[in-house]
Each structure stands twice: as C-alpha cells, then as structure tokens.
Amino acid sequence: MSYVTIDSPVGPLTLVADDGKLTSLFMDAQRHAPDPASFGEPADPADEPFASAAAQLAAYFAGQLTEFDLPLAPAGTPFQLQVWRALQQIPYGTTVSYGQLAGQLGRPNASRAVGLANGRNPLAIVVPCHRVIGSDGSLTGYGGGLDRKQFLLGLENRQQPLS
C-alpha cells in the first residue's frame, strides 16, 4: 500500500492505493479517516494510479470532467459496497436524498443505513457521496465538512461558494 497527497481547491487530498487500484481518497480533517500510518509508504505522484487520479481530479475541479474512470478497490461490507456503487450512478450535477437512494437499492426503509454507509465512503469526490442530501433538500452531513459539500455541489452547478 502507498499514498500521495495532492493539492486541490478543497484542500489537501490524500490518495491511497494498493496493487494499482485506488482504495481511498481522504480530505484533511475528514471524519472517519483512518490513522495515516495505515496509508503505507509515500509514493511517487507520477506512479499509477496516482498520476491518473490527480489528472482526473484536476479536470473535475476545472469543470472539464463529469465522470471518473479510475481503477477502484474500496474496502467495506457488502452493503457499503452496494451503496458506494449506487453513488457512482448519481449523475454529475444532480442530487438524490438518502431515502431515494435507499429506494433505488430496493430497501426503501433503509435510509438511515444508507446514510451511515454514505458517511463511510473511503473515496470522497470520486465516489460522489456529496450528491446525497436530506429529504427536505438540506445539505446534511458530509465527512469533509458541509462547506466542502456545498463547494462540490456548486462546482457541479458552475457555482463555487467556498472561500
């Protein structure tokens, strides 16, 4: 396992990979982030998948990329993995509620469980958990902080409210 840290408009991002696949993407001060000692050894940012991830993230932040195409290998429970796959199906620039996402998974009464799995997403931005909002349209919870969630949603709608 190895990692790199890159700069972004939402602060430093730490990318962790194992066997050529991205396993994690954490923001600084992110809730539920593991101990950095578990990230492995520092890597060369020119190594894959880091170089591709950094290029795609730069294009995303520049408004030129709407869907990531990276080799991913997040670790989670079967239910978490199901939720994280569903997150990747939420189109760029749109939002869904936790309840809607639970319904799409065929578990309409599992909005709280969906919220918990969403909060444990280890691949922020790339697996767009920021696109999930409260049923009343409010920006509820985000491991990277609500200001970053608002920024990412604004970016996808061509508004950038952070700063």
Side-chain angles (χ1 to χ4, degrees):
M1 198 143 46
S2 59
Y3 74 94
V4 299
T5 300
I6 63 172
D7 291 327
S8 84
V10 294
L13 301 175
T14 300
L15 295 87
V16 182
D18 193 22
D19 289 329
K21 295 181 180 175
L22 206 59
T23 60
S24 310
L25 187 159
F26 296 112
M27 299 177 192
D28 64 327
Q30 181 169 330
R31 193 176 20 172
H32 304 301
D35 183 339
S38 70
F39 296 165
E41 298 297 318
D44 183 336
D47 291 348
E48 290 299 338
F50 302 118
S52 292
Q56 288 186 36
L57 285 161
Y60 170 80
F61 285 117
Q64 301 166 343
L65 181 83
T66 61
E67 191 173 318
F68 292 93
D69 182 20
L70 296 166
L72 305 178
T77 67
F79 181 72
Q80 288 173 328
L81 294 170
Q82 182 184 26
V83 170
W84 301 337
R85 282 190 300 272
L87 292 173
Q88 292 177 283
Q89 304 308 309
I90 303 170
Y92 179 91
T94 64
T95 57
V96 300
S97 71
Y98 295 97
Q100 288 171 317
L101 192 57
Q104 290 171 10
L105 294 171
R107 302 187 56 184
N109 297 321
S111 59
R112 173 165 271 161
V114 165
L116 291 171
N118 194 57
R120 294 286 184 173
N121 171 22
L123 287 158
I125 305 169
V126 172
V127 174
C129 54
H130 60 276
R131 296 180 188 154
V132 184
I133 60 172
S135 60
D136 62 359
S138 63
L139 300 186
T140 60
Y142 186 61
L146 288 181
D147 58 335
R148 288 181 175 143
K149 183 172 188 164
Q150 182 178 9
F151 175 84
L152 294 169
L153 292 173
L155 172 74
E156 293 185 10
N157 289 299
R158 302 294 186 253
Q159 305 160 6
Q160 298 180 11
L162 189 69
S163 295

